[in-house]
Amino acid sequence: MSDDWWKSAVVYQVYPRSFQDSNGDGIGDLEGIRSRLDHLEWLGVDVIWLSPIYASPQADNGYDISDYQAIDPTFGDLEDFDALLTAAHARDMKVVMDLVVNHTSDEHPWFLESRASKRSPKRDWYWWRPPRDGFEPGAPGAEPTNWRAFFSGPAWAFDEESGEYYLHLFHQKQPDLNWENPEVRQAVYAMMNWWLDRGVDGFRMDVINLISKVLPLRDGEPLPGGLGNGFPLYACGPRNHEFLQEMHREVFAGRAGRFLTVGETPGATVDDAVLFTDPERAEVDMVFQFEHVDVDHGPLGKFDPQPLDLVRLKAILGRWQAALADRGWNSLYWDNHDQPRVVSRFGDDRDHWAASAKALAAVLHLMRGTPYIYQGEELGMTNAGLTSIDDYRDVESLNAYDELRELDVPEARILDGLAAMSRDNARTPVQWDGSAHGGFTTGTPWIAVTPNHTWLNAEAQREDPDSVSAFYRSLIELRHAEPVVAHGTFEMLLAEDPQVFAYRRVLDGTVLTVVANISGADVTAAVDVAHGGLVLHNLGEAATPYPAGAGEVPLGPWEARVYLHR
Ligand code: TEU
Ligand code: CA
């Protein structure tokens, strides 16, 4: 296996809470995942990325960790974990863990010790600061900086006992670790080594570009509502690359295994990404950038979605393809546990559900980079269609609702925004079959199963060669069979076309051409595919024969065609 084996790999993200429940408590667990490995093997994925399964008070569904070396009892125990790891390895699938080390839970022993006293040896493991000069401790505006937290409100929480504030870029139960302190870094590396010794195959690193803050901490540009934007003062900060290089030396460099590391890096530019992923620099293999999933955010932010501008989306993705062509590597994703479902967001989940799910899959998977499938994406799972604030579970959505209410945004508009963009859209249970609760649980699911599971489910698709999941399977097969998919060059075609997404990949004598209609209207794409054989097509039986040599490809609504010639 070569060092860059992950270039021809496909990663499947499991969000354990919503994947499969094995004991009827309504929450997915490790045994449940193990019982569904057949599905992942059938699909052909190479790597499973597990969202956090560590001990956690679950203030942010496990992204708030109170013990990095224990499994949360909700999900099972270390024995269940080892059984899952062994079973996955036996099927030739690797397992990548979520690494959440920008912050811990406020119930982590490190934080409890840090909080216990100003003189605690771990005081400096977190960001403690006195109130702003001239302000009463705990008074409005007394926070050490004006930063807004990702989940609304100030990014500082007041601690009565010591009269100081601690920093939390996310929930107040997620205090930020102080990476300036070498003891913190060594503790993190020791924990990573412990997991690698146990046999895991790498890490997906949560907000790893937020670990280095600009010093001294200071105010950001004011935002509507009184808080400020701290983002430029902690994203891709001054010591970010140094820390990642140190991590690589302390954790990966001495090991013989073949690992995958992917950094989640909101706000990273293409220039940042080249630095993070250039193999010569030994930081991470690839990063998750956010530009293409922020493309439809409006003036009020993510809960103010705008219609898709395809030309802009292509410009973003094309820019990332070009920037990482020679040095570094792209990850490719539409969905994850933080994003709405792509078939509802950029596709058409009403009139062209299957065709649009497949077309979006094709244009994503055949670009240059490592594709990620988020659980249920391979089934064409849709947004949840929630209409009442009581149906939401996610802390980001619940807080945003309160915040936007206070800004006097009409409730109907807020609920529309949440229905389109809430993270809960991704978090409804996987739809395995048409039975009650979709085969996810025999109990009451922690969040409702989407009603369309009666017809949209894995079982219904399994025997259908034209199903959305069969199409995903073909895409993975194509990547494994044809080196041009992983290693070919990338050239965007028809960049200005508002409906067609088309590009060409070339490796040695092989040319792969992808032409897709990202709209519900008939179009003609001026792309020459005359010498290519059709290797993939998303309309199955309904395929219209291609008029050879015309230099034009007629495409029906959401039709996608892939041609290969050597
Ligand atoms: O997400 C970080 C992030 O920047 C966003 O995706 C965020 O979740 C939100 O959508 C901002 O609007 C990571 C995890 O993927 C997310 O689930 C966690 O909540 C977050 O970090 C904190 O650990
Ligand atoms: Ca369970």
Side-chain angles (χ1 to χ4, degrees), residues 343-344 347-356 382 452 455 558:
V343 68
S344 303
D348 177 349
D349 63 9
R350 284 184 41 190
D351 298 334
H352 301 284
W353 165 70
S356 66
T382 63
N452 61 19
W455 59 269
W558 293 99

Side-chain angles (χ1 to χ4, degrees), residues 409-425:
V409 180
E411 187 185 28
R413 183 156 166 218
I414 304 175
L415 287 174
D416 283 351
L418 290 179
M421 300 301 275
S422 170
R423 307 197 295 182
D424 280 336
N425 286 306

Side-chain angles (χ1 to χ4, degrees), residues 15 60 63-64 100 103 150-151 170 174 204 206-207 210 264 266 290 302-303 336-339 396 423 427:
Y15 193 67
D60 186 21
Y63 283 88
D64 50 317
V100 188
H103 44 268
F150 281 91
F151 299 154
F170 293 88
Q174 293 169 300
R204 172 271 186 189
D206 194 64
V207 289
L210 307 188
E264 188 210 25
F290 278 66
K302 75 180 269 184
F303 295 112
N336 60 39
H337 63 293
D338 295 331
Q339 299 293 331
E396 182 192 47
R423 307 197 295 182
R427 299 176 179 189

Side-chain angles (χ1 to χ4, degrees), residues 16-17 20-32 73-76 440-441:
R17 171 173 281 275
Q20 176 67 57
D21 178 23
S22 74
N23 62 353
D25 69 353
I27 304 176
D29 45 54
L30 293 176
E31 269 304 294
T74 314
F75 300 127
F440 165 70
T441 182

